[in-house]
Amino acid sequence: MAETTVSDRMATRPVGHADTLGARMTALRHGMSPWWFRYQAYPIFRVLWISFTDYQYLSSEPAHFVGFNNYAAALNDPLMWSSLWRATMFTIMFLPGTIILPLLLAILVDKVSNPRLATLYRVVLLIPAVIPSTLVFVLWKWMYNYQVGPINHLLVDVFGLFTLQNAPQWLGGTSLTLPAIAVMEVWWGLGYHTIFFLAGLAAIPKDLPEAARIDGASEWSIFWHITRPALAPIMMILVVLRFGTAMAVIDEYLIFGGFNRDSPTYTWTMFMYDQAFKLGLWRQGFAAAIGMIGAIAMMIVMIILIRIFRPKG
Amino acid sequence: MTIALETIHQSSAGTKPAPGWFRENRSAIVRHGVINFFMLIILAPLVWVLMMSIKSRSDAMRSDFWPRRFDFTHYRYVFDKIDTFPINLLNSIYVTSGTVLITTVCAVLAGYALVHMKPKGGGLVVATLLISLYFPVRVVSTSGLILPYVTLNLAISVLIMRSVFQLVPHEVVEAAKVDGAGPWRTLWEIVLPMARNGLVVIFIVNFVTAWGEFLLCSTLTNDQIVRTMPVVLAGAQGGLGQWSWPALAAVYVLVVTPGIIAFTFAQKLFFKGLAEGVVKG
């Protein structure tokens, strides 16, 4: 969506002025479209072009235009559909938890009146957010570890739900891997999203819920009629952003899943990565088509999500 | 910390056994209970790693939370015995500080230009952006990692700085100009101190991304000696020998602590900046 508005602006700009630095700076100040275009849109158009060619990385032959061949090949590949479906499954497991739990927690923390406690809670909440992604993955790889991991230790030795023989195998592309990654992602985003909601809650005037309470409104109806509409914009941003990241996850699958095509972690992003960098054929035209199909599918769902969560009125 | 808070609740409940006190504060007790439960979930994995790093090797395989014998030598061991460790750590520090420095300078300049500046100094901004744009992404050395990382972070950093600078009124900048301050002096002495909170935010955001970046570093480098510490850590298999579990955990604690300490000290400014730059922007 952003690309179209940018290219529209580019098209309507007077051509003669475009090359002078002054005009460029004016445009930059008024919406930084040229910079934005080069920085964000150029790679997208580049991939779009590659997806219509038989471009191969490190190949001495020049790329040929092949029309929609790559798209036809991708759409006819059952792996394209199953890998998109796997990404959708992950999003369904991850998205509700990562929105609802922080919302609940933010409402509770917002009511803490002791300033020192409130600060302490906020600092603890943001600790996972200052741990870099790789280190979060390493940490949870240990949590789920078969031998020394505390999760299996709790399940086997403390609660006795499993024995060492049938203890769950979380990682490595089993059916438990996607839920395990979803739990990790919810843990990681819990504090950060809570802080977002807290910022939204702080913007609600305190006398509004007070007045409603005096008038005899229940806590639930205060939440539904005052808190929920006030948080709607933040909710929309989080849902749309996290939908996008959840559908396009790749690092986690690379680390926890591996390149087994039957693994539930082999999603369309892995498929693309595999085709482009791993398999040795470097069919980057085909990989680009996979990427474009995935991106278009995501964009359609995003538009629907924005329509659903758009603040009313 | 959380456990201490819970005992405070219990002890204050114990000194005042009147049932009325409990009933009056029931919602507060339940609320703090639920919050502390979540805090415990957030902290538990980190506490587990900390405990792991001070266990003896035999206790590490037993996986009880509280070890039978403590062993604090793992921290010295990783510096002495794992030969690439100091180099990897230096790589991390080098790449991260390079990235944070370049990104912050670019973001401040671009954000300031976008909001307050006349076209005069703008060429520098455009040039810096363009230079970072056309660098090839294929790298073989540690220094080569810095520019791709800058690229990753720059867009979001400029956007944050832009919305932070928008909070500085135009009149302030105009007044400085009338008083004869050039654009550099205005930025350095007047606008930047007002934008301190936003600066802390992009500092921390960039630090976290660069310190832990995995995909680019593992794809673009192919020698252990040029990799950053987190990537080496992700590739290390736990077990016996050099990478025993406690040694791995010790490396983990060493790598993760600087970020947490820096954040804890800067948290006041960070939260203000977050509210100014991210939420309103």
Side-chain angles (χ1 to χ4, degrees), chain A residues 213-227:
Chain A
R213 207 165 281 132
I214 290 166
D215 289 345
S218 69
E219 287 297 319
W220 173 252
S221 74
I222 290 174
F223 169 76
W224 193 254
H225 294 292
I226 296 173
T227 315

Side-chain angles (χ1 to χ4, degrees), chain A residues 197 199-205 208 222-235 311:
Chain A
F197 281 125
L201 287 170
I204 302 175
L208 213 61
I222 290 174
F223 169 76
W224 193 254
H225 294 292
I226 296 173
T227 315
R228 191 188 54 93
L231 292 182
I234 290 172
M235 184 95 99

